[in-house]
Amino acid sequence: MADYDYDLFVIGAGSGGTRASRVAAAHGARVAVAEEYRVGGTCVIRGCVPKKLLVYGAHFAEDLKDARRFGWQVPSECEFSWETLRDNVLAEVDRLNGAYKKTLESHNVEIIDQRAVVTGPHSVRLADGTEKTAERILIAVGAHPAVPSCPGHEHGITSNEAFHLDAIPSRVLIAGAGYIANEFAGVFHQFGAHVTLINRSKDILRGYDLTIRDRLLQISMMKGIEFRFDATFEGIEKMDDGCLKVSMSNHEPMIVDLVMFATGRLPNTHGLGLETAGVELDDHGAIKVDEDNRSTCPSIYAVGDVTNRVQLTPVAIREGQAFADTVFGGKPTRVDYDCIPAAVFSHPPMAGVGMTEAQARQTLGSVQVYTSDFRPMKNVLAGREERSLYKMVCDGDTGRVVGLHMIGPDVPEILQAAAIAVKAGLTKAQFDATVALHPTMAEELVLMR
Ligand code: NDP
């Protein structure tokens, strides 16, 4: 047997790479992980975690206003310090980065703080020129924000930079209308910016249930967020006063202070040397893998966003775990991609699991849809017009709940629990057999008509 430096060399210490490294090492493998930026990856360093903290921060804007209706004396002008929130969030990111490193170290995973590129089926080269060999290589390098190649694109930022802004700009234009665009629209808006989302198509959040995303659009517009559709980004011109003039098709140009691109994410495969080992990519530059995360090179595997299957942290973690258990733990495991719950931490948030109504109508012979459209009691007392909307999609023949889609306060928390029932294949009758827990918003799940 060949004598390799390691049993496993992992490139990328994000969610998938960290889990795979730790579990493979726990199974007895000699593991090294190379990370060119910071251990923790997109989710921990510049994604889900700091974003969610900003979303918490943004909620106070309305909570403080609503508090008056609940009897609290709140000054009419509450001061918000972006610097305080930003620095506290970045300090929390530092803490998590340290915790991730400690976890790897305590599992005897060697952390190499350098970029590594593949040089063959069993070898990698580090940025300092050192060559390392491994019986198996796992690519878990994630993805990066896609930026349209229009003139002046360098004047725009992506979500990566949004966490480090010096100040909250007065006028923000966000290109795209997906997850990141809608989440940051809520954040910037609550912090006092005027926000415009522009998208190339007529839709926001394509793939989500139509009724639910339409409700988000209505509420966002009611709050004062602007939308421009059928608008292809044409360019950014930096003006003498530092403002940015943005041109787009079908609409007048706009002058803003900040442009943020949220137009999807692309796999980080460029310049990774994958061709030296015969690792094939798909049309989007993602690594092609089989159900066991194995690439077209038998000793090289890939998990997470770099494979562009489902770009979600918990999925990358499951793939990393399945890879390590299968290859090093003697426990062949495959990820079940059916019924993955997802949420958009917009303002208010949305969440969904299973088929949308449109998907169910295309797939099933008969479909029954139940909805609950209500104003949460907290909003009623606060004098807030926003209504929540829950939609349950059922197989008309069996009554089985095949999809659940929600928008309203706390729906990601509610949906995570309800997703267990949907995944388990429960029927509408079984939901209804559960007594409502009153007064909650979640009780609507067992009262839908
Ligand atoms: P999304 O795929 O959600 O949305 C991309 C948006 O950009 C769409 O509105 C799309 O328009 C538009 N777009 C795509 N390509 C172009 C282009 N070339 N020119 C102009 N517009 C374009 O991507 P995000 O960047 O928001 O997020 C990336 C991924 O990260 C998500 O898919 C998600 O998996 C993950 N994520 C998950 C979060 C969560 O779980 N809460 C939070 C943030 C990110 P159109 O629809 O018209 O094609």
Side-chain angles (χ1 to χ4, degrees):
M1 204 177 107
D3 190 14
Y4 298 111
D5 296 329
Y6 305 100
D7 300 317
L8 174 66
F9 195 99
V10 180
I11 307 183
S15 300
T18 303
R19 174 61 66 94
S21 304
R22 173 167 77 69
V23 176
H27 287 314
R30 295 169 304 144
V31 184
V33 58
E35 169 58 53
E36 64 179 333
Y37 185 49
R38 298 184 74 188
V39 171
T42 299
C43 176
V44 172
I45 307 294
R46 39 178 144 63
C48 328
V49 171
K51 178 274 310 286
K52 182 80 187 271
L53 293 171
L54 293 189
V55 169
Y56 277 128
H59 264 282
F60 283 97
E62 288 181 351
D63 290 346
L64 285 166
K65 277 189 200 134
D66 294 351
R68 293 191 200 107
R69 293 277 304 166
F70 288 84
W72 290 92
Q73 300 293 315
V74 180
S76 54
E77 287 300 322
C78 286
E79 270 183 37
F80 167 66
S81 162
W82 161 250
E83 293 83 354
T84 303
L85 176 60
R86 178 199 61 201
D87 294 348
N88 287 344
V89 169
L90 294 178
E92 174 61 6
V93 166
D94 289 345
R95 188 188 71 78
L96 288 169
N97 169 244
Y100 267 65
K101 278 194 200 158
K102 266 205 195 98
T103 304
L104 288 172
E105 283 159 5
S106 68
H107 283 80
N108 296 321
V109 174
E110 183 182 336
I111 302 173
I112 299 174
D113 295 317
Q114 289 184 54
R115 180 172 169 82
V117 297
V118 173
T119 51
H122 297 283
S123 58
V124 299
R125 187 184 319 110
L126 306 181
D128 67 6
T130 317
E131 294 275 343
K132 298 281 183 190
T133 60
E135 188 177 6
R136 293 187 180 84
I137 296 170
L138 177 71
I139 313 287
V141 293
H144 64 277
V147 172
S149 57
C150 60
H153 64 80
E154 67 279 7
H155 301 308
I157 65 161
T158 68
S159 53
N160 288 351
E161 292 78 41
F163 300 105
H164 300 268
L165 291 175
D166 290 335
I168 296 294
S170 312
R171 298 161 299 180
V172 178
L173 184 149
I174 302 179
Y179 279 80
I180 296 178
N182 281 283
E183 292 180 341
F184 274 92
V187 166
F188 285 132
H189 173 77
Q190 297 299 325
F191 292 152
H194 180 269
V195 179
T196 308
L197 256 75
I198 73 160
N199 201 33
R200 60 179 179 182
S201 70
K202 285 185 177 18
D203 293 313
I204 65 166
L205 287 161
R206 222 141 36 92
Y208 264 87
D209 191 89
L210 184 59
T211 331
I212 303 294
R213 56 190 156 104
D214 194 51
R215 176 64 54 92
L216 177 64
L217 182 61
Q218 299 311 322
I219 295 178
S220 299
M221 291 195 301
M222 194 168 82
K223 287 182 192 291
I225 297 172
E226 251 187 76
F227 290 82
R228 289 185 177 191
F229 293 113
D230 289 320
T232 301
F233 214 85
E234 288 176 344
I236 309 176
E237 186 191 332
K238 188 154 192 171
M239 319 220 336
D240 292 343
D241 59 1
C243 297
L244 304 172
K245 184 175 177 186
V246 181
S247 318
M248 64 204 87
S249 64
N250 297 319
H251 297 267
E252 290 297 308
M254 279 190 80
I255 310 250
V256 294
D257 306 294
L258 180 80
V259 173
M260 181 170 133
F261 292 107
T263 43
R265 294 176 62 84
L266 296 171
N268 285 330
T269 45
H270 186 70
L272 208 58
L274 296 168
E275 63 290 348
T276 61
V279 174
E280 284 179 24
L281 306 181
D282 70 11
D283 294 344
H284 297 98
I287 297 179
K288 287 189 201 170
V289 286
D290 65 14
E291 281 182 296
D292 292 314
N293 303 295
R294 193 189 285 251
S295 78
T296 46
C297 170
S299 57
I300 299 188
Y301 296 73
V303 296
D305 287 0
V306 76
T307 64
N308 197 20
R309 286 174 283 185
V310 181
Q311 290 186 343
L312 294 175
T313 295
V315 175
I317 291 172
R318 292 230 166 179
E319 289 169 354
Q321 175 90 36
F323 158 78
D325 283 344
T326 302
V327 176
F328 295 101
K331 284 190 283 181
T333 313
R334 284 180 176 168
V335 175
D336 175 359
Y337 292 92
D338 190 38
C339 265
I340 295 173
V344 186
F345 294 93
S346 44
H347 209 99
M350 295 168 39
V353 65
M355 286 188 240
T356 63
E357 182 179 347
Q359 286 166 341
R361 291 200 187 283
Q362 270 179 359
T363 319
L364 305 172
S366 148
V367 175
Q368 281 286 345
V369 173
Y370 304 89
T371 56
S372 179
D373 187 340
F374 63 100
R375 195 143 74 110
M377 63 194 291
K378 183 162 172 258
N379 282 358
V380 176
L381 198 74
R384 214 166 260 295
E385 290 305 318
E386 283 173 52
R387 298 179 68 82
S388 295
L389 179 60
Y390 296 179
K391 183 192 263 193
M392 184 180 273
V393 182
C394 299
D395 181 329
D397 295 328
T398 61
R400 180 179 168 159
V401 180
V402 294
L404 196 53
H405 308 280
M406 312 164 82
I407 179 167
D410 296 333
V411 296
E413 304 290 344
I414 299 167
L415 185 104
Q416 173 67 84
I420 300 168
V422 178
K423 176 87 181 149
L426 299 196
T427 61
K428 167 83 166 79
Q430 286 169 309
F431 270 74
D432 291 352
T434 307
V435 173
L437 200 166
H438 188 69
T440 61
M441 294 177 284
E443 69 180 313
E444 296 298 326
L445 288 176
V446 298
L447 301 170
M448 279 200 217
R449 292 289 161 259

